[in-house]
Structures are given as C-alpha cells and as structure tokens.
Amino acid sequence: MKKLLLSSLFAGLSVMNFAQDYLKSDYVKSKTESNSGKIKFLAFTPSSLISINESEAVLKNILHTTNENKLEEIKRENDPFGGTHIHYKQYYKGTEVLHHHYAVHTKNEIIHSVNGYFNDVTIPISVSSLKTPTEIYELGLTYLENSYLFLEGKTPKSRLVVLTKDLNSKKEDRYVYVFPMISINPNRFENVYLDALTGEVLRKESLFLQHTTKQMVWTEEQWDYLNKIKVNTKQSQSFIPFVLDVGNAETRYSGLQEIETLNTEQGFLLQDEDRYLQTKNFGQDYLVVVFGIVFGMGVEEIMDLAENYVDEDNNWTSEEYATTKDDGALEAHWAFSQTYDFFKTEYDRDGFDNENSEVVSFIHTTFFGSPLNAAWMSLSAIDPELTGGFMFIGDGDYNSTTQTGSYDIFAPMDVIAHEYAHGVDSAAGGLVYERESGALNEGFSDIWGASIEAKQAPEKQRWIMGEDFVMIEPAGIRSLEAPKMFNQPDTYQGTYWVDASENCTPSEDNDNCGVHTNSGVLNYWFYLISDGGAGTNDNGYEYEVSGFGIKKAADLVYSTQLNYIQSQSKFEDVRDYTLQEAAVLYGENSEEVTTVFNAWCAVGVTTGEACDNMKTINLSENSNGIYPNPVSNILYLNSDKNTVWENYKITNTAGQIVLQGSLKQQEIQVSALPKGVYVLTLKSGTSVQNFKFVKK
C-alpha cells in the first residue's frame, strides 16, 4: 500500500513539474487585463516558440478555465497572410456567455498572441428553474414603456444566454432571454435582455446599423399600415428559368457601367448570381422588414414584399430610370459588385460572411418615416439560425426638378461599401453598436468605404464619405483626412468627442453615445498610417507620421478586424491589436510598427512618455544628438560642451529593453541588434534625452 501511495505521489509531482507556465517573464512581451482582472490581451516574445497544439493548455493556464466555465472552439480560420486563428466562445454550464469570446493567433504554427473576454461566472440557480420565453416576454412588456410594438399572442424570436455582472444593471451574473424588439417615440430597433426569472430589463443594445443619424418620427397612420402588412404578404413567385447576362447601366453617380443581370422570360432582372445579390424596388419602411423577421415571417415572404427591377433590352438608361431615382438602384447594384470583388480579389473573401450568403438591397426605403438614411441588417443578429443580409437605401430629400433638398439617394459606392462592411463586422467580432465599440464599428465601415473607392474607383474622393449624394456644402458627411470638418474628433476624448463612458445611456438622441461622431478618431488614425501627416493634437502633442500606403493600411485593418476584434473592444484594444499584427505582418521592429505606434500617439489613444520617446531630435552642430541614423554598426553620440553621457538604454517599439549599460566612450555598438526602429535613452546626472534611430 505504501508503495502504491508513493507512486501516486510521484506521478502527481511529475504532472506538476511538467505543467507549463505561459506567464513567466521570458514568455510575455506585453499583457493587459480587463476590469475583472482577467487577461484580455497577451503577446508572447518571438523566442517563446509555443506550438499551436498548446492552444487549449495556454488558455487553461492563463484564464483558469473550468468544466463550468469553459471555452469551446467555434471556428479555425487561415488568413490571407499565412496566419491561423482559433476562435472560442465561453459557455457556463452549456449556456453561451454573451460577448465572451477568445482567440489564439498563430503564424507558422507558433502562437504569438491571444485576446478576448472571459469571466468566472457563478449563478446559484439552474436552467430548469427558469420561466419559458413566452412567460418572460409577457412579464417583460410590463416593465417596458408602452412604445414597444407587439403582436397579441405571439412571441418574437429569442434565445437564452448568460449576461455577466459587468454587462447588466443588477451587477450579478444572470440568465436572460434576448428578444429583438421595436419601439417608437423613441424610435429603436434593439436587442432587449430580460431576466429569465423575473422579466426585468437588464440591458438593451441597438440593432439599427445606419449610415447617418438623421431621422423623422412616424405618424400613427404609418404605424397602422405596419400592423396590416403582416397579413398582406404576396404569394412566392413561381420559378422562372434564367441565364446570366451583362447589361449596360447609366448609374446615378458613376456614369455608364457594366452590371450583371438575370435573363428570364420576364425580362432582365437586377440580380447578380455571381455575387449573391438581388436589388429590389421596395418603397416601404425598413421596419416592415424588421417587424416581419422578428415575428417569424420567412425570408422569401419578406423579399416578395418588394418588386423586381425589370428591363426589356438590358440597356438601363437614365431616360428610363433617373426621374424616379431608380438609377440609384443601378448605382447600388454596380457598387455592390465592386465591393464584393474588392474583398474577393484582395482577401479571397466569399461575401460579407465569407460563406457567400445572399444579400438583398431594398431601394426606396424609409427609416421610421424618413428617407434620409441607409442601413444594414445581418439576419443572424436577429436569429442565429438565419443567414444572409439586407441592405436598405433611402431616397434622400433632394428634388432634381426644383433643385431643393440636401441629400440625394443614399446609393454611391462609399455608402454601399460602408453598409456591406457592417455585415463583415457582424460575421467577425460583432462590435456592439454603442459607446466606443459602436464608434469602432462605424470607423471600420468608413475605412472600407475609403479603401474600396481607392481601389475600385480611384477618381472618387476616397477620404470623404458621401460626397456624391450630399447636395450642400461641405459636400459629404464625414472626412477621414479632416474629421473636424464635420464636427468629429481627431483626438481621443478631444474636441467634439461625445461621452462614451458608462455614464452615458445609449439612445437615438445621443447616437448611441456618439457612434457616428467618435468614429473620427479611428478614421484619422487610418488616414495617418495610409498617407501620413503632421500637426498638434488636442492634447498639445506635436506629431509627425510617415504613412505606408492605403494598401498596407487596409491589409492591417482587415487582419485585425477579422481576427482580433471582440464585441466589447475599445480604442485601446484596437491599438494593442494593430501593433501586434503589424509586428507579425511586417516585423517586430519594423518601420510599419513605428508608424502604427506614432499614429496612435497622434490621435491621443497613447499618451505620455511612450509617445515623447518616439520623437526624433534633430542633430545640429551645438546640440545633443546621435549619428549616423540609420546606423549599421556604431552609433556615435554628440553632446554640447556641458554634457557627457554616462548611461544608456535602448528599447524596441514594444517598450522592451534590448540593450543598456554605462558609457566609457561616447559611442554604442549596435551591430547585434535586428533591423528595426529603436529608442535610445541617454542620461547625464539628472539630464535625460531620448532619440529615435533606425538599425539597418
């Protein structure tokens, strides 16, 4: 018996001895934690050499997952740049934990970083004790304002999730049912999270991903109409044999273009089978579709609420279509094809969700009664079992005959690309449409609007959003190059910044805590890494950024957005992710990493000594300085008559010390350093100066 006990003890010790500690100092390059103290981003040193096969061991070690709180792999994807990313979702006793995902990032089957949100959930009740979705929905309506629409005896689509204490008003982990719901006065389409025991409202999140914030309130007659359409749907159209064809279209903003159409016995239809798009004449309100989907109307029934565009000879002319703004449908149909082709050509992406799910564009849509908007809806956001996306295009208020109104039809390329990109986000991180995460959602969509125009229509103004459809000065609604032109901030929490803290309650009145305003910070960061720029931000920080081109910038954003972004990500998270991915794509100490870092300093997401250290101090005959720069072997130090440098420290762009020591001569041997950008800190008594240099 003693022998058996001893062997068991030694076996246990053996397991303990060989358990890997992935948080030891020589493994960790950088690390950040969430408010709950859990690691939300961890980058490993290049020398760590942790195999992709150790992914689950890494997560267990750094997050302390258990059988009750576990991460389950949901997908494994290869990116266009040679990386593999493993995505996990958190479950508590088998129930999904809302907005809690984790990702492991690898290159050449070596893990270089992990990121995400994970919490230790504890709920003292079991799922079996919960009320049914119908019971909770009926209870929830008693807590909600009278403005929420409902159908007597019918429950919207719903699902059960765990809402962690940091995400709900009770500050306790709770089981909740999530219901997509519609309200008026204020106008809202949102997910409402109801406590699965009491029906109390614990959280709301907007589902209305719109291009701008302009709206009007519906009349009672319009709401009466909405309530009638649920029983007045058309019968599905019978199958019509077809062949693909190419037509000529005189678009509203882009001149004569080729478009793909469907040749049927009925005529040529605006249907692009190669790109999984149908463009339809709707002429009703956005909420007609929302209402139908929420209360279980089939996708085919919804599509049959709209009419096909039909042309007899496949020559779609302005004479036929311009007076009714139907040439805006031609514009949208063509712009969608260019957007689809961009993502396919650049990143081998199959549609917005990478699964070639079908998209329907509804033309002549109103939004809560207003024609002044465009919007996107991923059907999976309402029901995870549904696929596909709906794009809605408003007519605007411009009358070409009287030349009155400010906005023409919301159909140009940058708008279509922007809305499509909302779909890309929904298939990736799914940024919650409020506060900082919502501003990032809007910023990424603007970035793709600019990038796609730059590639597919370089004659257009890539850095202005909406220049085609805005009929007043300044012509546009947002500028990536100069956000303040449209009352957007170019500095984090600077001029024009809208409060996005927890003190702000998201509503239509405050644009969900500034999603269309605060996006200017991400937009300007992207402009700087693309084209470069110099100036002084709202914090008084003088910056100079050397851009590396819009192609490289877009590649960096694509890889970051698709692989790192989480539903709760904030600006500082995107900073960390882009710095890490720039190091992966272009090298740990590359000039690209420096550019990305400098741009985050320029927009005020990074501040303080780290930014000051990146400034280059010019060398003159009587000043302190270094030479040559760039350097291959020996870095010589220049000083004025009153300074003799005593000690030095060299750090890389991640802030790690790579060399340090005392100075016997006014020179430093740097030949052993890898190529890259570094910061040299020199000390002489109480005097300290920093210099940036490039190792060739």
Side-chain angles (χ1 to χ4, degrees):
M1 177 65 75
K2 289 182 179 178
K3 184 176 181 182
L4 180 59
L5 287 173
L6 285 172
S7 358
S8 300
L9 175 62
F10 284 127
L13 288 174
S14 175
V15 170
M16 291 173 62
N17 287 338
F18 285 101
Q20 182 66 279
D21 179 13
Y22 297 100
L23 291 174
K24 58 186 182 181
S25 59
D26 57 338
Y27 272 21
V28 177
K29 183 174 78 170
S30 61
K31 179 180 72 171
T32 57
E33 296 181 348
S34 65
N35 292 334
S36 65
K38 289 291 186 180
I39 293 172
K40 67 174 182 176
F41 176 68
L42 176 63
F44 295 105
T45 58
S47 60
S48 300
L49 299 179
I50 304 169
S51 168
I52 189 174
N53 298 323
E54 300 174 66
S55 296
E56 293 187 9
V58 169
L59 297 181
K60 187 173 183 62
N61 176 236
I62 69 172
L63 300 173
H64 308 294
T65 58
T66 64
N67 288 332
E68 286 193 345
N69 284 289
K70 62 170 57 176
L71 290 169
E72 295 184 9
E73 183 178 334
I74 55 173
K75 62 180 177 179
R76 186 176 294 223
E77 292 188 335
N78 297 322
D79 67 31
F81 313 105
T84 299
H85 307 267
I86 311 172
H87 297 269
Y88 298 82
K89 185 176 288 187
Q90 183 180 352
Y91 290 86
Y92 173 70
K93 294 183 178 180
T95 301
E96 176 189 342
V97 182
L98 185 74
H99 300 325
H100 281 61
H101 306 85
Y102 230 84
V104 175
H105 311 289
T106 75
K107 188 74 172 284
N108 299 323
E109 300 198 337
I110 298 298
I111 299 173
H112 58 75
S113 59
V114 299
N115 77 286
Y117 287 87
F118 179 89
N119 277 321
D120 296 321
V121 174
T122 302
I123 304 178
I125 61 172
S126 65
V127 171
S128 61
S129 64
L130 304 177
K131 289 184 170 62
T132 67
T134 298
E135 290 173 318
I136 291 301
Y137 178 63
E138 291 173 352
L139 282 170
L141 288 175
T142 66
Y143 287 99
L144 292 163
E145 311 91 81
N146 292 329
S147 61
Y148 279 83
L149 294 180
F150 65 95
L151 282 179
E152 198 71 46
K154 191 141 187 178
T155 304
K157 295 174 180 292
S158 67
R159 59 192 176 103
L160 181 70
V161 297
V162 170
L163 195 62
T164 54
K165 57 188 175 185
D166 57 317
L167 294 178
N168 72 71
S169 56
K170 293 295 182 182
K171 304 304 178 185
E172 297 175 350
D173 300 327
R174 295 288 186 97
Y175 286 112
V176 298
Y177 290 108
V178 51
F179 296 93
M181 300 182 73
I182 306 162
S183 76
I184 55 171
N185 300 327
N187 299 326
R188 297 278 290 175
F189 172 42
E190 58 195 358
N191 273 334
V192 179
Y193 298 90
L194 303 179
D195 189 294
L197 270 182
T198 67
E200 293 176 275
V201 180
L202 299 186
R203 184 177 175 87
K204 299 177 182 179
E205 293 175 354
S206 177
L207 289 172
F208 186 30
L209 277 63
Q210 54 182 320
H211 194 73
T212 183
T213 58
K214 299 184 178 2
Q215 289 183 8
M216 291 164 51
V217 178
W218 265 30
T219 64
E220 297 225 1
E221 291 78 12
Q222 286 170 312
W223 282 114
D224 288 340
Y225 170 72
L226 174 63
N227 284 321
K228 291 174 185 174
I229 64 94
K230 63 183 183 293
V231 294
N232 292 332
T233 59
K234 300 177 184 177
Q235 296 298 316
S236 295
Q237 298 173 2
S238 58
F239 175 75
I240 303 173
F242 66 85
V243 293
L244 301 180
D245 214 328
V246 175
N248 294 313
E250 293 181 351
T251 67
R252 192 162 187 89
Y253 305 121
S254 302
L256 183 64
Q257 301 290 345
E258 288 187 347
I259 57 173
E260 185 170 293
T261 58
L262 203 61
N263 187 355
T264 72
E265 294 177 357
Q266 184 182 351
F268 294 93
L269 311 183
L270 288 185
Q271 191 162 332
D272 190 332
E273 294 292 308
D274 283 341
R275 300 174 180 88
Y276 308 91
L277 170 72
Q278 295 188 50
T279 302
K280 288 180 168 283
N281 187 346
F282 190 42
Q284 300 183 57
D285 202 88
Y286 162 85
L287 288 194
V288 170
V289 173
V290 172
F291 195 82
I293 292 291
V294 167
F295 286 100
M297 186 184 291
V299 174
E300 291 298 325
E301 290 180 282
I302 293 291
M303 289 168 56
D304 284 343
L305 292 172
E307 301 284 347
N308 285 323
Y309 280 103
V310 184
D311 190 87
E312 292 182 357
D313 59 4
N314 214 15
N315 187 28
W316 308 70
T317 66
S318 295
E319 184 179 359
E320 296 172 283
Y321 297 102
T323 55
T324 54
K325 295 191 180 181
D326 282 331
D327 56 349
L330 306 178
E331 181 81 33
H333 194 75
W334 169 76
F336 183 98
S337 72
Q338 300 305 298
T339 301
Y340 181 98
D341 290 351
F342 173 88
F343 280 105
K344 182 64 178 175
T345 302
E346 297 295 310
Y347 307 115
D348 195 27
R349 188 170 184 82
D350 293 322
F352 75 91
D353 59 358
N354 207 23
E355 295 181 2
N356 275 332
S357 295
E358 188 166 41
V359 174
V360 182
S361 289
F362 293 98
I363 311 299
H364 306 313
T365 303
T366 54
F367 306 86
F368 301 97
S370 168
L372 303 175
N373 223 327
W376 172 270
M377 179 197 298
S378 290
L379 300 185
S380 61
I382 301 173
D383 183 348
E385 295 183 3
L386 294 177
T387 60
F390 289 163
M391 190 154 49
F392 303 92
I393 306 300
D395 275 357
D397 61 356
Y398 180 70
N399 185 313
S400 57
T401 302
T402 62
Q403 295 190 343
T404 56
S406 303
Y407 304 95
D408 205 345
I409 186 168
F410 285 61
M413 177 179 288
D414 52 8
V415 175
I416 300 304
H418 175 105
E419 299 308 328
Y420 184 102
H422 278 314
V424 173
D425 173 78
S426 71
L431 285 156
V432 178
Y433 204 61
E434 62 186 34
R435 302 189 176 94
E436 287 195 27
S437 57
L440 292 170
N441 194 329
E442 279 298 314
F444 283 127
S445 284
D446 280 353
I447 284 169
W448 291 119
S451 300
I452 291 167
E453 273 198 347
K455 178 69 185 299
Q456 306 297 105
E459 71 280 1
K460 293 182 180 288
Q461 297 182 48
R462 67 184 67 171
W463 299 124
I464 297 288
M465 293 297 298
E467 74 277 6
D468 284 327
F469 74 86
V470 177
M471 310 306 291
I472 56 177
E473 294 297 332
I477 57 173
R478 291 186 290 276
S479 169
L480 284 77
E481 180 180 8
K484 287 182 177 178
M485 181 190 306
F486 296 97
N487 298 331
Q488 282 191 292
D490 60 14
T491 306
Y492 183 71
Q493 297 184 342
T495 304
Y496 299 121
W497 178 266
V498 174
D499 179 23
S501 69
E502 293 301 317
N503 296 324
C504 176
T505 300
S507 69
E508 295 306 315
D509 290 338
N510 61 31
D511 187 27
N512 292 314
C513 301
V515 300
H516 288 92
T517 302
N518 296 343
S519 57
V521 173
L522 185 67
N523 286 353
Y524 190 53
W525 169 84
F526 182 77
Y527 169 78
L528 288 174
I529 67 170
S530 299
D531 278 14
T536 303
N537 70 17
D538 292 342
N539 301 325
Y541 176 77
E542 295 181 12
Y543 61 87
E544 183 174 357
V545 180
S546 300
F548 47 66
I550 195 169
K551 164 60 177 167
K552 272 189 175 180
D555 289 349
L556 175 63
V557 166
Y558 182 83
S559 193
T560 302
Q561 185 181 8
L562 270 293
N563 302 312
Y564 292 80
I565 295 299
Q566 305 281 320
S567 56
Q568 304 179 66
S569 292
K570 297 183 178 181
F571 279 91
E572 64 178 13
D573 299 319
V574 181
R575 174 199 62 197
D576 294 342
Y577 304 157
T578 52
L579 285 168
Q580 173 62 21
E581 189 61 6
V584 172
L585 294 178
Y586 307 118
E588 284 283 338
N589 298 303
S590 62
E591 292 185 27
E592 287 85 354
V593 171
T594 300
T595 292
V596 172
F597 185 90
N598 284 341
W600 286 120
C601 290
V603 299
V605 175
T606 301
T607 59
E609 184 180 355
C611 294
D612 293 334
N613 287 348
M614 297 305 292
K615 291 185 178 180
T616 302
I617 299 177
N618 293 325
L619 177 64
S620 64
E621 186 176 348
N622 297 315
S623 67
N624 299 325
I626 58 176
Y627 65 94
N629 189 8
V631 61
S632 297
N633 298 308
I634 298 176
L635 192 62
Y636 296 97
L637 315 180
N638 191 59
S639 58
D640 59 32
K641 296 178 181 179
N642 300 318
T643 305
V644 177
W645 300 119
E646 299 169 354
N647 300 289
Y648 76 95
K649 176 178 67 177
I650 297 176
T651 55
N652 61 21
T653 52
Q656 298 169 306
I657 299 174
V658 293
L659 278 179
Q660 62 181 336
S662 58
L663 289 164
K664 295 180 180 178
Q665 298 180 349
Q666 299 296 285
E667 61 185 53
I668 304 170
Q669 175 60 252
V670 296
S671 58
L673 291 178
K675 294 179 180 179
V677 179
Y678 298 89
V679 174
L680 169 66
T681 301
L682 297 173
K683 291 186 178 181
S684 176
T686 59
S687 177
V688 179
Q689 281 198 282
N690 298 294
F691 303 89
K692 183 172 67 175
F693 71 91
V694 177
K695 169 63 169 60
K696 292 193 294 185

